[in-house]
Amino acid sequence: MSQQSVAQWFEHARSVFESAYTQHSEPWKQSGMSGPEERWVALRKPVADCMTRSGSFLDIGCANGYLLECCLRWCAERGISIDPYGLDLSPQFVELARQRLPQFADHFFIGNSLNWIPPRKFDFVRTELVYVPADYEKQYINHLFEHYLEHNGKLLVAHYQEGTADPTKGILAGSHPTRYILDRLAELGFQPVGYCDGYDTLKGRKTRVAVLEKPG
Ligand SMILES: C[S@@+](CC[C@H](N)C(=O)[O-])C[C@H]1O[C@@H](n2cnc3c(N)ncnc32)[C@H](O)[C@@H]1O
């Protein structure tokens, strides 16, 4: 892909996400999850489960900030305190996230995680591989290790369609159609140190969040 095509790909991604999420009022639907809130809990709590100690947490693709708000609560229930940060392509979503978590308004950034460099590093960073075109996935993970993660930091690679029959469904053209996240990470040369799963009994969907450790 040329530089210009990559820029167009992200511009298209931003407008697809904005038009899909802003037609809803429920906070989880404004974060891209259809259905009732119990589906959201089943399929997103594994992100919080991957955080096993207190520390800073950046949600890449934070949308309206609802996952951060929930992770604060889910982690607090286990005695874990997180300092939440968010990054999104969309200025509109970052504004919603700042309104949702006004006490952390200066913890939200607008940028494209493929090339944006944060002003600090984090103990935990969550992302999905579909946020970048397929050919950029390896470069993307290495960029996050280099610029986003503290020494000993953990990269949480969420896959919200784990084991799906048709992995091309629901992703942008040009993203890699991943069926199993551990297989895809192995293809790219990464070996996770663990993972957390979630299962939605309503639609039979599965989430797997793979945990990668920053190389020493
Ligand atoms: C499915 S929502 C994720 C919401 C929430 N973080 C979660 O995990 O449920 C995806 C979000 O990622 C953002 N996004 C996609 N690609 C991105 C990129 N390269 N850099 C920053 N944000 C991106 C979109 O604008 C959208 O708000």
Side-chain angles (χ1 to χ4, degrees), residues 30-51:
Q30 285 181 355
S31 266
M33 163 72 70
S34 62
E37 189 168 19
E38 62 201 271
R39 286 195 72 222
W40 167 265
V41 176
L43 294 173
R44 293 298 182 271
K45 209 169 181 190
V47 173
D49 294 338
C50 288
M51 291 186 265

Side-chain angles (χ1 to χ4, degrees), residues 193-207:
V193 292
Y195 57 82
C196 291
D197 287 343
Y199 186 65
D200 154 39
T201 50
L202 294 173
K203 279 199 175 174
R205 292 258 182 86
K206 189 170 169 185
T207 285

Side-chain angles (χ1 to χ4, degrees), residues 163-182:
T164 182
D166 179 5
T168 61
K169 210 170 145 194
I171 62 168
L172 296 174
S175 301
H176 186 270
T178 293
R179 178 166 289 141
Y180 298 108
I181 191 64
L182 299 188

Side-chain angles (χ1 to χ4, degrees), residues 111-122:
N112 176 352
S113 51
L114 180 60
N115 48 37
W116 185 78
I117 295 182
R120 54 159 293 163
K121 291 183 174 174
F122 306 91

